[in-house]
Amino acid sequence: MNMPTGRVLLVGAGPGAPDLLTLRAARALTSADVVVHDGLIDPAVLDLAPNARRVDVSKRRARHTLPQDEIGALLVREAQAGNIVVRLKGGDPFVFGRGGEEVSACVDAGVAVEVIPGVSSALGAAAQAQMPLTHRDHASTLSFVAGTCQGLAEQDWTGLAGHGRTLVIYMGVATAQLIAEKLMADGLSPDTPCAILERGTHDDARALRTLLADLGDAVAREGVRSPALIVVGAVAALGTATDVLNRLKAFA
Ligand code: SAH
């Protein structure tokens, strides 16, 4: 009797541009029997697994995302059936990717699991916009936070932004105005530089720069859409981002 060879590979697909996939991730895709992926994965990346069955967990049940515990159960079931399962996630699996929950689901079920890191979107988008997230003259501390609505008010961000610090906010487009108010209530100056990095690493990416007091308005005015990141701190004034505050002044 053959021993079952099924296992789960949790793979970071990188920030968007397919050639930012790691060689290890590409190799994992080539070996996959099943690819379980989110939305926003470039077709060129999925094409690296031409013979694998694809399961898009972002499009199930009339567009409602499959609940996290069901994703875990799916990975376990497929691996126990003897498949090499690639769980493909945007950016890095362990940066706001729920990778920890999926590793636990596998470990609890006794299924072998491996994690392959990916370029997180903050790193990809910042590179494209030539915006160093740390800089000896501007910032020696870097924090990543989630700006989702749920629990935003309870999150303690004190000390994460300000002089010498860079704060990168994931999932903050819809809450940009609240985020700006929260940071100013924490004592951050309204003229702290901010950048919005939309669709980072894609050909149609936009990098916009303004000041904290204008952040919410800028998101609305410029029609910023998810996926996008918000960078708060002196480094946001560096790089190639377009200054949308001056653009506003020019038309005033
Ligand atoms: N694991 C992912 C993050 C998942 S959370 C990573 O490491 O990047 C989803 C959030 O990531 C989005 O709301 C957005 O804030 C950010 N994001 C993902 N892709 C992006 C991109 N190409 N450009 C800018 N932000 C992106």
Side-chain angles (χ1 to χ4, degrees):
M1 195 181 102
N2 285 334
M3 289 298 287
T5 53
R7 60 204 167 98
V8 172
L9 304 168
L10 218 62
V11 177
D19 56 348
L20 286 172
L21 200 73
T22 66
L23 290 175
R24 194 181 292 187
R27 211 157 49 220
L29 281 163
T30 311
S31 73
D33 299 309
V34 185
V35 177
V36 178
H37 64 92
D38 303 319
L40 294 178
I41 303 280
D42 194 289
V45 170
L46 293 174
D47 285 349
L48 293 171
N51 301 319
R53 192 156 33 92
R54 293 176 190 174
V55 183
D56 181 347
V57 288
S58 71
K59 280 203 187 135
R60 301 220 125 187
R61 288 191 181 160
R63 296 194 156 197
H64 286 298
T65 312
L66 205 62
Q68 191 57 47
D69 53 348
E70 289 185 31
I71 295 176
L74 171 71
L75 300 178
V76 165
R77 203 165 54 237
E78 291 288 354
Q80 284 174 339
N83 293 313
I84 296 179
V85 185
V86 165
R87 171 68 175 115
L88 196 60
K89 301 161 111 26
D92 181 85
F94 281 175
V95 178
F96 304 122
R98 301 194 177 173
E101 293 162 56
E102 293 175 10
V103 167
S104 295
C106 294
V107 170
D108 291 351
V111 164
V113 57
E114 187 187 329
V115 183
I116 300 178
V119 176
S120 193
S121 51
L123 310 183
Q128 187 186 35
Q130 298 183 15
M131 185 179 293
L133 295 176
T134 69
H135 188 294
R136 283 200 294 167
D137 297 335
H138 302 285
S140 59
T141 297
L142 172 61
S143 304
F144 292 168
V145 297
T148 28
C149 227
Q150 209 183 359
L152 185 62
E154 288 80 50
Q155 283 197 55
D156 184 3
W157 291 354
T158 42
L160 299 184
H163 186 71
R165 284 158 281 172
T166 304
L167 180 65
V168 180
I169 302 153
Y170 287 67
M171 299 173 281
V173 172
T175 45
Q177 180 66 36
L178 294 173
I179 285 167
E181 286 165 12
K182 179 182 176 70
L183 289 170
M184 288 188 285
D186 284 346
L188 212 59
S189 166
D191 60 9
T192 305
C194 287
I196 303 155
L197 306 177
E198 180 187 57
R199 288 185 58 75
T201 75
H202 292 279
D203 291 341
D204 58 352
R206 284 196 299 170
L208 310 173
R209 165 160 63 87
T210 188
L211 300 179
L212 186 57
D214 178 54
L215 178 65
D217 284 348
V219 164
R221 208 168 59 232
E222 302 290 333
V224 175
R225 305 271 302 273
S226 183
L229 295 151
I230 296 168
V231 181
V232 181
V235 299
L238 306 177
T240 59
T242 306
D243 182 349
V244 295
L245 187 68
N246 281 338
R247 184 147 88 199
L248 177 70
K249 281 178 184 157
F251 289 104

